[in-house]
């Protein structure tokens, strides 16, 4: 689909700025609000409610009551009906959502036609809603008679209970969509704690659910808060049965510690340092330019391919081709379809990325293109698309997630074995790409310790595909059959 401009200066926004708690749209209890900034202009777009502990406690109480006193968790047909209402309603909101994503997240408008908006709106709610009818909620085991008297046994799948969903600012609609779809389809109630950096993309869900669905009060609640202590109440409150978190590994470690006393189940989709791996027989001119995929949303994505690994004999040519590809990428106003790269979400994030580039140079990496703020963009949190060549496996930028428009390029020796060893030389294991002869690439993909691998341009993404990571990239899977199971308890009844 052709991307159309949605300039913030001409768009008439219709945002929802209120919290949604126990079926009601309302202001924060303490009356606090936060400014919603446009990261490409540094101007204030508007405000959003800024919740406090009282608001979070009310949301948790509402979700607990809805789970314990309604038939939401057991009425499959009703859940399916409500989720299809939600799916259909979101389609009517699409263009308003697109404009908000471009303005508050700095998402290039072209990206909203794929993973930022259109892809998840197509199936993130619809697929799990339909899967309610296909999933095996009960299965009969063989008859048994351990004490001499025959009896039957049945395995029953039941909702976990109250799920606290904590989402990041980088792909707000995409991540919220996939959490809401799976959490509600499996019969849970939820409290969504969304980031204050992109509040409108989250708060809209409350208004849509309130006005256009039959979802009962308390089943879905959404709060936005600038104070991390508000989110932490979800982690320690015994009324919450599960945490579904997408974000940094550092915060994931904190969640593991804080939820341990109440033994919550945790679904953690964390950081990544995914490989863009060229095998020895890969056609460089066709495959290397694809590395610009790491610039999607200015590199602010956990599953982006930010480590390019190249056979040493092809290294110089690959660096030259990648440099040319990055150098041709346009940077600027995300509402202009000509720009592939927009801003980073905040000044803090921009400064963090630039500091990583400086550290890389101090450790011996070579900047072949980019390396700082783009010329001519005096306002906004922009960083030029940057290639760091001559990066060694012991460099920080090889090991750590930068979360900006930066890739590293490293040569490897030893054929496919050497490639696999270097690809797996990471504390992360979220995603990856392998390019080369199809059979050879598939064999290598099976050896890489990551939760998702794309081979020769194929894309793993979809509501039917389980997503998550190995090692420090997280615990559990979201979406697909595995995602359904993640949100359910298992009970065996003998009778």
């Amino acid at each position: 689909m052709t991307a159309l401009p949605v300039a913030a200066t001409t768009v008439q926004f219709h945002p929802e700025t209120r919290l949604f708690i126990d079926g009601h749209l309302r202001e924060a209890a303490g009356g606090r609000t936060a400014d919603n900034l446009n990261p490409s202009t540094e101007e204030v777009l508007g405000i959003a409610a800024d919740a406090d502990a009282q608001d979070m406690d009310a949301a948790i109480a509402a979700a607990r009551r809805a789970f314990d006193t309604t038939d939401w968790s057991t009425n499959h047909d009703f859940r399916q009906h409500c989720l299809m209402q939600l799916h259909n309603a979101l389609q009517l909101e699409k263009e308003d959502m697109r404009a908000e994503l471009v303005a508050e997240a700095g998402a290039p408008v072209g990206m909203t036609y794929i993973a930022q908006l259109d892809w998840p709106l197509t199936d993130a709610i619809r697929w799990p809603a339909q899967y309610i009818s296909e999933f095996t909620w009960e299965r009969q085991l063989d008859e048994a008679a351990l004490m001499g008297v025959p009896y039957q046994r049945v395995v029953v799948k039941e909702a976990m209970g109250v799920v606290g969903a904590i989402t990041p600012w980088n792909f707000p609609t995409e991540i919220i969509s996939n959490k809401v779809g799976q959490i509600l389809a499996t019969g849970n109630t939820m409290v969504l704690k969304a980031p204050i950096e992109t509040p409108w993309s989250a708060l809209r869900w409350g208004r849509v659910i309130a006005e256009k669905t039959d979802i009962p009060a308390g089943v879905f609640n959404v709060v936005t808060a600038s104070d991390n202590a508000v989110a932490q109440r979800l982690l320690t409150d015994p009324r919450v049965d599960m945490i579904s978190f997408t974000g940094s590994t550092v915060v994931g470690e904190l969640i593991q510690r804080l939820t341990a006393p109440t033994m919550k189940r945790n679904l953690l989709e964390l950081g990544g340092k995914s490989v863009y791996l060229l095998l020895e027989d890969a056609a460089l001119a066709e495959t290397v330019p694809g590395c610009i995929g790491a610039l999607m949303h200015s590199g602010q994505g956990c599953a982006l391919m930010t480590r390019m690994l190249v056979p040493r004999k092809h290294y110089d040519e690959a660096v030259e081709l990648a440099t040319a590809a990055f150098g041709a990428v346009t940077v600027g106003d995300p509402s202009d379809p000509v720009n592939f790269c927009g801003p980073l979400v905040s000044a803090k994030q921009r400064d963090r990325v630039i500091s990583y580039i400086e550290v890389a140079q101090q450790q011996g990496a070579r900047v072949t293109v980019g390396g700082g703020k783009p010329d001519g963009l005096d306002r906004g949190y922009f960083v030029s698309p940057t290639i760091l060549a001559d990066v060694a496996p012991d460099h920080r930028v090889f090991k750590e997630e930068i979360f900006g428009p930066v890739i590293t390029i490293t040569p490897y020796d030893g054929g496919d074995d050497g490639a696999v060893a270097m690809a797996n030389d990471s504390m992360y294991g979220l995603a990856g790409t392998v390019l080369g002869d199809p059979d050879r690439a598939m064999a290598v993909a099976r050896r890489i310790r990551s939760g998702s691998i794309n081979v020769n341009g194929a894309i793993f993404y979809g509501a039917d595909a389980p997503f998550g990571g190995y090692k420090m990239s997280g615990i559990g899977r979201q979406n697909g059959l595995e995602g359904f199971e993640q949100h359910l308890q298992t009970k065996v009844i003998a009778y």
Side-chain angles (χ1 to χ4, degrees):
M1 181 178 290
T2 302
L4 300 175
V6 287
T9 54
T10 61
V11 169
Q12 183 67 43
F13 292 109
H14 306 284
E16 179 53 62
T17 64
R18 295 167 293 179
L19 311 177
F20 184 60
I21 298 174
D22 202 11
H24 300 287
L25 294 161
R26 65 170 179 79
E27 307 298 339
R32 294 191 309 178
T33 62
D35 289 340
N36 190 8
L37 295 180
N38 183 328
S40 65
T41 66
E42 304 181 43
E43 297 174 348
V44 176
L45 291 164
I47 63 167
D50 190 358
D52 61 16
Q54 182 178 344
D55 298 308
M56 180 58 80
D57 286 345
I60 293 171
R64 185 77 260 169
R65 177 198 55 75
F67 186 82
D68 292 341
T69 65
T70 75
D71 69 347
W72 177 259
S73 66
T74 57
N75 193 332
H76 296 177
D77 290 341
F78 180 60
R79 290 207 308 272
Q80 191 171 60
H81 157 76
C82 290
L83 287 172
M84 288 308 301
Q85 284 181 319
L86 178 57
H87 167 79
N88 293 331
L90 290 171
Q91 310 313 305
L92 302 178
E93 304 275 323
K94 183 185 292 186
E95 296 313 313
D96 280 345
M97 296 171 79
R98 192 184 315 281
E100 289 172 359
L101 279 167
V102 173
E104 70 175 359
V109 63
M111 297 300 104
T112 68
Y113 287 89
I114 51 175
Q116 277 283 13
L117 182 64
D118 282 14
W119 286 357
L121 245 58
T122 298
D123 65 357
I125 305 297
R126 178 185 55 80
W127 188 89
Q130 294 176 342
Y131 198 60
I132 292 171
S133 299
E134 302 172 23
F135 183 73
T136 302
W137 294 96
E138 296 187 8
R139 76 176 190 275
Q140 201 73 28
L141 300 180
D142 292 340
E143 184 180 89
L146 290 178
M147 300 295 290
V149 178
Y151 52 85
Q152 304 295 324
R153 296 168 298 158
V154 62
V155 178
V156 180
K157 298 292 183 178
E158 298 179 339
M160 285 291 301
V162 176
V163 179
I166 305 173
T167 59
W169 42 257
N170 58 330
F171 281 75
T173 299
E174 194 276 341
I175 295 169
I176 290 171
S177 299
N178 283 297
K179 290 194 185 298
V180 170
Q182 293 260 323
I183 291 169
L184 297 188
T186 44
N188 300 286
T189 61
M190 68 182 292
V191 177
L192 169 63
K193 189 278 169 186
I196 203 68
E197 292 86 350
T198 53
W200 292 352
S201 294
L203 296 174
R204 175 177 293 273
W205 287 75
R207 186 172 72 198
V208 172
I209 286 174
E211 296 178 353
K212 300 182 180 179
T213 78
D214 296 322
I215 294 175
V219 167
F220 174 86
N221 306 271
V222 57
V223 298
T224 48
S226 59
D227 184 355
N228 288 334
V230 175
Q232 288 186 16
R233 300 184 80 86
L234 287 170
L235 311 182
T236 57
D237 195 308
R239 294 172 294 178
V240 178
D241 300 288
M242 176 179 171
I243 297 296
S244 176
F245 171 74
T246 298
S248 72
T249 296
V250 171
V251 177
E253 292 173 351
L254 176 66
I255 289 172
Q256 288 280 77
R257 293 195 297 271
L258 293 182
T259 57
T262 51
M263 287 296 171
K264 300 187 197 309
R265 180 179 296 177
N266 290 329
L267 169 57
L268 305 176
E269 192 269 284
L270 308 176
K273 194 70 180 177
S274 302
V275 294
Y276 192 78
L277 175 56
L278 278 67
L279 302 181
E280 291 176 335
D281 56 11
L284 297 190
E286 298 173 8
T287 57
V288 170
C291 68
I292 67 169
L295 300 177
M296 180 183 293
H297 196 28
S298 298
Q300 298 172 114
C302 55
L304 300 179
M305 314 302 159
T306 56
R307 280 191 303 155
M308 181 185 290
L309 307 182
V310 186
R312 189 173 298 276
K313 66 181 178 181
H314 298 315
Y315 179 71
D316 290 340
E317 183 182 357
V319 170
E320 182 179 349
L321 288 167
T323 299
F326 266 49
V329 170
T330 51
V331 183
D333 179 1
S335 69
D336 187 342
V338 74
N339 291 321
F340 188 79
C341 246
L344 299 181
V345 75
S346 65
K348 178 182 177 181
Q349 185 65 17
R350 176 199 60 200
D351 295 345
R352 178 179 184 272
V353 171
I354 290 176
S355 71
Y356 263 110
I357 295 171
E358 293 170 349
V359 167
Q361 291 175 290
Q362 293 165 7
Q363 292 190 309
R366 172 169 52 101
V367 173
T368 68
V369 65
K373 301 176 184 178
D375 293 335
L377 292 173
D378 299 326
R379 302 201 67 185
Y381 311 125
F382 294 93
V383 174
S384 296
T386 300
I387 286 182
L388 298 172
D390 305 343
V391 172
D394 62 349
H395 288 179
R396 280 185 60 190
V397 291
F398 186 90
K399 297 177 177 294
E400 298 177 15
E401 189 175 39
I402 299 172
F403 228 61
V406 182
I407 67 165
T408 64
I409 308 183
T410 304
Y412 67 84
D413 301 299
D416 293 355
D417 289 343
V420 169
M422 188 172 285
N424 288 334
D425 183 14
S426 174
M427 70 175 182
Y428 297 113
L430 187 57
T433 290
V434 182
L435 301 158
D437 171 79
D439 292 339
R440 185 176 183 179
M442 276 295 293
V444 168
R446 292 180 184 278
R447 297 171 62 190
I448 295 176
R449 301 194 66 224
S450 291
S452 304
I453 304 288
N454 298 325
V455 173
N456 290 333
I459 301 174
F460 66 80
Y461 184 87
D464 59 347
F467 180 63
Y470 289 28
K471 299 184 282 186
M472 298 299 284
S473 284
I475 297 172
R477 293 296 183 270
Q478 185 166 279
N479 290 346
L481 165 62
E482 291 77 5
F484 239 65
E485 292 275 7
Q486 195 77 39
H487 296 87
L488 295 170
Q489 288 280 26
T490 301
K491 176 185 290 182
V492 181
I493 302 174
Y495 59 98

